[in-house]
């Protein structure tokens, strides 16, 4: 219990900015490296041509669906576990951890079987054109094979973050991501596997990352223990952490739905539009993942202290997240706006249409980057404190409630410019909704004892 007590004291007594930074930096590094590997994947595949680049965008929607399963279970369990550890209810936290891990493997396996059986129909539904379809099928098959490993890895990552062991989480993610970046050119070009090589590199790397993460639990480097004896048959336990995970389900699930909608709209213009929006999506995701990583580092600090009724520390953590996140996103947005032409030319330099569409879309997104922090802060805060309904609604705004109507209406009004503006418009609308909601919560928290 000595180690556990030390971690508990750290979460409840360390200076808040220092605590959030110590938790957030490893998570941000993890998310950044993961997004860099996504961009690197898109870069190497782009050398195979426009159709292959389009396939990456199609399969990205599939991966978002797998992530939705993993994050629903993982972040739902992690949110509950942080509060339970703050209350020192360790036994229940152990049951949730083991049950969530088992559920992730079962649900990932079910998705794998379904996806492989309906592979071609699924790719067409995700927005693959006739010319992109063969590449998308080759790529997706390997991703589906490792779906159970991917969902389980998401859960292990979130369990480590929930107890404040973000450095161990970082090691697991870095191991898999760096390996993926190294294997991409080897499998794609040196071995001549083409787009199958990119998919195989991802599959191998996911398995390696999973083994690293599982090793920490096996070697008892963690507070939480995974064991069959901790598996629960209590339906209410699963209901509790799945309800906590619903914001993540909607956030990730709607990311997949919005990606499908965007692919379908882009396909109506050209394969170049599909490829351009895929590349922009990868570049923007690199930035957005850093912000999400910051929020995920903040989340256990908020959850621990909320569970211990240290509400003043929750407010301090929120303010620090907002100030640091907004300043950071403003600087990054300005840099990307200036560098947009240079970035797009690195992918498919010979296709001027891809570059033109990509520059416009990326610059529109850069304009609203300073507004993104509030949406993440709202969502992460309400999920951390267990207000799952409010967190779920807020998680649905950016890529669901606002984006889906905008991607349907704006292209009809403004053509391809409307397609490029749909996500930035949704980000601005999300910001406006979040302002009064979080203001009331922080005001109420100040009054709480």
């Amino acid at each position: 219990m000595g180690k556990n007590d030390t971690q508990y004291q750290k979460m409840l007594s360390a200076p808040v900015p220092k605590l959030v930074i110590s938790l957030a930096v490893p998570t941000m590094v993890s998310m950044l490296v993961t997004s860099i590997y996504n961009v690197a994947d898109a870069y190497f595949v782009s050398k195979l041509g426009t159709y292959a680049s389009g396939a990456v965008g199609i399969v990205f929607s599939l991966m978002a669906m797998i992530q939705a399963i993993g994050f629903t279970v993982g972040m739902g369990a992690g949110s509950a576990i942080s509060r339970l550890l703050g209350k020192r209810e360790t036994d229940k936290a152990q049951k949730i951890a083991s049950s969530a891990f088992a559920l992730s493997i079962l649900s990932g396996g079910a998705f794998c079987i379904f996806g492989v059986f309906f592979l071609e129909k699924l790719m067409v539904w995700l927005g693959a054109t006739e010319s992109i379809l063969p590449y998308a099928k080759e790529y997706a098959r390997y991703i589906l094979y490792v779906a159970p490993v991917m969902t389980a890895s998401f859960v292990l990552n979130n369990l480590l973050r929930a107890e404040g062991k973000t450095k161990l989480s970082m090691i697991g993610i870095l191991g898999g991501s760096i390996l993926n970046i190294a294997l991409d050119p080897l499998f794609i070009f040196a071995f001549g596997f083409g787009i199958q090589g990119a998919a195989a590199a991802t599959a191998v790397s996911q398995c390696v990352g999973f083994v690293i993460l599982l090793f920490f639990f096996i070697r008892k480097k963690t507070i939480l223990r995974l064991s069959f004896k901790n598996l629960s048959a209590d339906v209410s336990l699963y209901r509790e952490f799945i309800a906590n995970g619903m914001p993540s389900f909607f956030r990730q699930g709607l990311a997949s739905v919005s990606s499908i909608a965007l692919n379908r709209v882009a396909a109506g213009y050209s394969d170049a539009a599909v490829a351009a929006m895929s590349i922009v999506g990868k570049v923007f995701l690199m930035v957005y993942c850093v912000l999400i990583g910051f929020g995920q580092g903040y989340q256990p600090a908020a959850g621990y202290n909320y569970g211990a009724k240290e509400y003043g520390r929750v407010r301090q953590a929120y303010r620090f997240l907002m100030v640091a996140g907004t300043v950071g996103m403003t600087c990054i947005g300005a840099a990307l706006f200036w560098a947009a032409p240079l970035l797009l030319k690195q992918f498919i330099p010979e296709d001027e249409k891809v570059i033109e569409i990509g520059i416009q879309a990326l610059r529109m997104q850069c304009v609203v980057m300073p507004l993104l922090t509030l949406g993440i802060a709202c969502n992460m805060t309400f999920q951390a404190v267990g207000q799952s309904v409010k967190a779920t609604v807020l998680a649905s705004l950016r890529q669901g409630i606002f984006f889906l109507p905008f991607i349907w209406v704006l292209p009809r009004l403004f053509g391809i410019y409307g397609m490029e503006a749909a996500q930035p418009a949704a980000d601005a609308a999300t910001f406006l909704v979040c302002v009064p909601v979080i203001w009331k919560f922080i005001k109420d928290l100040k009054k709480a004892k």
Side-chain angles (χ1 to χ4, degrees):
M1 289 298 295
K3 254 185 217 182
N4 295 2
D5 287 338
T6 301
Q7 184 68 14
Y8 180 83
Q9 291 302 322
K10 172 188 172 183
M11 298 298 284
L12 297 184
S13 61
V16 170
K18 182 179 179 182
L19 175 64
V20 174
I21 289 173
S22 69
L23 296 172
V25 168
T27 310
M28 291 168 66
V29 171
S30 301
M31 298 296 285
L32 178 61
V33 172
T34 299
S35 57
I36 288 173
Y37 116 66
N38 278 323
V39 173
D41 200 48
Y43 173 79
F44 289 123
V45 171
S46 71
K47 303 308 175 185
L48 300 174
T50 300
Y51 298 151
S53 290
V56 172
I58 299 300
V59 178
F60 179 73
S61 301
L62 177 70
M63 294 179 72
M65 294 168 72
I66 297 171
Q67 288 175 346
I69 297 171
F71 276 127
T72 299
V73 179
M75 292 193 73
S79 172
I81 287 168
S82 288
R83 293 193 303 278
L84 289 169
L85 293 177
K87 297 175 185 177
R88 307 208 112 176
E89 297 181 17
T90 308
D91 289 343
K92 187 176 180 181
Q94 301 284 13
K95 289 182 179 180
I96 288 179
S98 294
S99 301
F101 179 66
L103 181 61
S104 68
I105 294 175
L106 291 174
S107 55
F111 188 88
C112 167
I113 294 168
F114 171 83
V116 171
F117 192 75
F118 295 104
L119 181 59
E120 183 165 335
K121 291 181 180 179
L122 183 58
M123 292 300 100
V124 172
W125 181 70
L126 291 176
T129 63
E130 186 176 345
S131 49
I132 290 174
L133 181 60
Y135 295 91
K137 285 170 59 180
E138 289 182 14
Y139 200 130
R141 194 182 305 276
Y142 286 84
I143 302 303
L144 287 167
Y145 288 155
V146 294
V149 171
M150 292 175 68
T151 52
S153 293
F154 288 128
V155 170
L156 293 178
N157 267 310
N158 281 285
L159 294 181
L160 290 170
R161 291 169 183 166
E163 61 177 75
K165 301 290 180 66
T166 53
K167 289 182 181 178
L168 297 184
S169 172
M170 177 186 70
I171 293 170
I173 293 177
L174 288 182
S177 299
I178 293 172
L179 179 63
N180 200 330
I181 294 171
L183 291 180
D184 260 341
L186 184 66
F187 284 8
I188 295 171
F189 305 114
F191 293 169
F193 294 160
I195 197 167
Q196 286 186 358
T202 299
V204 170
S205 303
Q206 288 289 337
C207 292
V208 170
F210 169 77
V211 170
I212 294 172
L213 292 169
L214 188 60
F215 172 81
F216 295 132
F217 289 89
I218 293 172
R219 292 300 302 270
K220 299 182 180 180
K221 302 285 186 181
T222 59
I223 297 171
L224 301 170
R225 301 285 184 263
L226 301 177
S227 68
F228 287 107
K229 70 177 183 179
N230 283 329
L231 288 177
S232 176
D234 184 358
V235 175
S236 64
L237 188 83
Y238 293 89
R239 189 184 301 122
E240 177 183 349
F241 71 74
I242 289 174
N244 284 329
M246 289 312 292
S248 300
F249 175 80
F250 277 87
R251 184 168 56 244
Q252 295 298 133
L254 288 170
S256 179
V257 173
S258 65
S259 182
I260 294 166
L262 180 60
N263 286 334
R264 286 180 171 273
V265 171
Y269 292 105
S270 64
D271 287 330
V274 176
M277 297 310 292
S278 172
I279 292 168
V280 169
K282 294 285 188 179
V283 172
F284 175 72
L285 184 65
M286 183 167 63
V287 178
Y288 194 61
C289 277
V290 174
L291 182 59
I292 291 175
F294 195 9
Q296 288 179 342
Y298 150 82
Q299 201 169 32
Y304 252 92
N305 284 280
Y306 189 84
K309 298 186 178 180
E310 295 285 347
Y311 301 130
R313 289 174 61 81
V314 177
R315 295 199 311 273
Q316 289 179 52
Y318 167 78
R319 285 196 297 269
F320 180 72
L321 171 64
M322 279 301 303
V323 172
T326 302
V327 171
M329 293 302 287
T330 300
C331 295
I332 294 171
L336 281 179
F337 189 95
W338 174 80
L342 179 63
L343 278 174
L344 268 296
K345 288 176 182 177
Q346 301 306 308
F347 289 88
I348 309 180
E350 71 280 359
D351 196 324
E352 291 295 329
K353 195 64 179 174
V354 171
I355 295 172
E356 178 188 348
I357 295 170
I359 290 172
Q360 291 171 172
L362 183 56
R363 282 183 164 170
M364 287 185 189
Q365 192 65 67
C366 289
V367 172
V368 298
M369 276 188 188
L371 307 182
L372 296 176
T373 303
L374 183 61
I376 291 294
C378 273
N379 190 221
M380 295 292 183
T381 298
F382 288 116
Q383 191 169 13
V385 303
Q387 295 189 23
S388 55
V389 174
K390 193 172 290 185
T392 299
V393 173
L394 292 171
S396 304
L397 294 177
R398 181 176 182 265
Q399 293 189 298
I401 293 171
F402 289 128
F403 178 80
L404 294 177
F406 286 165
I407 195 63
W408 185 75
V409 173
L410 294 182
R412 286 167 170 76
L413 296 176
F414 304 107
I416 198 167
Y417 299 107
M419 176 192 72
E420 296 163 347
Q423 188 63 73
D427 290 336
T430 299
F431 174 85
L432 294 175
V433 171
C434 286
V435 170
V437 177
I438 195 64
W439 181 83
K440 183 179 185 304
F441 173 76
I442 296 297
K443 184 178 178 183
D444 291 344
L445 201 62
K446 195 173 183 180
K447 298 176 183 177
K449 293 182 179 180

